[in-house]
């Protein structure tokens, strides 16, 4: 797709954290048995902002594999958590698990294989390090090339704003069919492609949950199209969904 020079420049700035030249074999798209170190194996059932509260979730059980440091940052009013379990500090491979709180207990709803930054994880993310930031972040805004699949999140459909540059290669041309903005260094309540970076450009931004292309990203988290559609149709702003993400060791701290 050819767009005007100004629009293309804006697109590159917006997608700088997600852009990648790597490619690889596609991963399985359906939900799988969770391979976490603690907690039951989930199956699909019927069943914020950048700065999150530091108050502990009083009276609730722990999310498997998430220790006090990040557990205390989950807002007390949040009842949906998307946990990203990175396989290692320097690994691009991870597992995404959706949890919902039922009374005092966090219960797994579904899980999927995923990818994160191709160089792994960091607690001090900077533009270009190709690592995903460790932390707890709101999930407030979504968008993509395709029409709204039926989400309760604010959804911005724009075939131009979310179209990857053609020179990224065929493997990446559907990366942004659906995206959910991860509220890292962005203004919640704006479209995912909004380029505002409250902490400055050096801290990176434009970090999204988006479609998987079979390999690591520049900082985003990627899952199958089926997973994205399920998450978009399940996440509910009234339940204050957040993402808890990091390598397993960082999550357990």
């Amino acid at each position: 797709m050819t767009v005007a020079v100004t629009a293309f420049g804006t697109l590159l700035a917006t997608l700088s954290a997600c852009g990648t030249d790597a490619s690889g074999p596609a991963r399985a798209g359906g939900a799988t048995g969770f391979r976490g170190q603690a907690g039951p194996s989930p199956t699909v059932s019927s069943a914020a902002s950048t700065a999150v509260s530091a108050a502990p979730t009083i009276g609730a059980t722990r999310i498997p594999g998430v220790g006090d440091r990040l557990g205390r940052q989950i807002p007390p009013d949040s009842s949906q958590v998307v946990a990203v379990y990175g396989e290692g500090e320097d690994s691009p491979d991870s597992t995404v698990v959706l949890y919902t709180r039922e009374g005092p207990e966090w219960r797994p709803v579904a899980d999927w294989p995923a990818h994160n930054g191709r160089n792994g994880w960091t607690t001090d993310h900077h533009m270009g390090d190709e690592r995903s930031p460790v932390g707890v972040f709101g999930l407030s805004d979504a968008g993509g090339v395709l029409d709204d699949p039926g989400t309760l999140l604010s959804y911005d459909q724009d075939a131009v704003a979310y179209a990857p540059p053609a020179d990224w290669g065929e493997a990446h041309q559907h990366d942004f069919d659906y995206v959910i903005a991860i509220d890292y260094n962005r203004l919640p309540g704006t479209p995912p492609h909004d380029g505002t970076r409250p902490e400055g450009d050096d801290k990176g931004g434009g970090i999204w949950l988006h479609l998987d292309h079979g390999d690591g990203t520049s900082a985003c988290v990627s899952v199958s199209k089926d997973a994205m559609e399920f998450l978009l149709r399940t996440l509910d702003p009234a339940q204050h969904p957040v993402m808890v993400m990091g390598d397993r060791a960082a999550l357990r701290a």
Side-chain angles (χ1 to χ4, degrees):
M1 178 181 296
T2 302
V3 297
V5 173
T6 55
F8 183 68
T10 301
L11 174 66
L12 288 181
T14 300
L15 305 185
S16 58
C18 293
T20 173
D21 294 323
S23 62
R27 296 287 296 270
T32 61
F34 178 41
R35 298 182 300 277
Q37 296 179 340
S41 297
T43 56
V44 176
S45 71
S46 58
S49 66
T50 302
V52 296
S53 171
T57 307
I58 303 299
T61 58
R62 291 174 181 259
I63 293 176
V66 177
D68 286 342
R69 185 173 67 86
L70 294 180
R72 292 178 183 276
Q73 297 180 41
I74 299 173
D77 59 356
S78 178
S79 55
Q80 288 181 324
V81 166
V82 179
V84 186
Y85 296 89
E87 293 302 321
E89 182 180 3
D90 301 319
S91 172
D93 300 319
S94 53
T95 299
V96 165
V97 183
L98 172 63
Y99 292 95
T100 186
R101 189 160 61 190
E102 298 178 9
E105 297 186 0
W106 286 102
R107 297 188 181 277
V109 177
D111 66 83
W112 304 269
H115 286 103
N116 50 265
R118 68 171 55 86
N119 288 336
W121 298 89
T122 180
T123 57
D124 186 24
H125 175 69
H126 286 81
M127 181 67 75
D129 64 14
E130 299 191 337
R131 292 179 178 269
S132 296
V134 174
V136 179
F137 308 103
L139 298 172
S140 52
D141 302 287
V145 172
L146 302 180
D147 291 339
D148 183 350
T151 184
L152 295 174
L153 299 175
S154 175
Y155 192 86
D156 174 58
Q157 191 276 332
D158 191 322
V160 174
Y162 299 100
D167 61 1
W168 280 9
E170 182 61 30
H172 305 287
Q173 291 311 300
H174 294 283
D175 282 9
F176 311 130
D177 279 0
Y178 295 124
V179 307
I180 299 174
I182 298 170
D183 288 344
Y184 169 87
N185 197 18
R186 69 177 300 269
L187 292 177
T190 62
H193 65 77
D194 184 277
T196 305
R197 305 286 180 258
E199 298 179 50
D201 291 340
D202 184 59
K203 295 294 290 183
I207 299 179
W208 299 342
L209 180 63
H210 65 70
L211 269 65
D212 190 59
H213 53 254
D215 207 344
T217 70
S218 288
C220 296
V221 176
S222 60
V223 292
S224 69
K225 183 178 181 180
D226 286 346
M228 284 298 299
E229 290 178 338
F230 185 90
L231 289 167
L232 283 166
R233 292 167 179 162
T234 304
L235 294 178
D236 182 353
Q239 298 188 54
H240 307 284
V242 297
M243 177 172 279
V244 181
M245 54 193 280
D247 59 278
R248 293 184 186 275
L251 289 176
R252 289 193 302 268

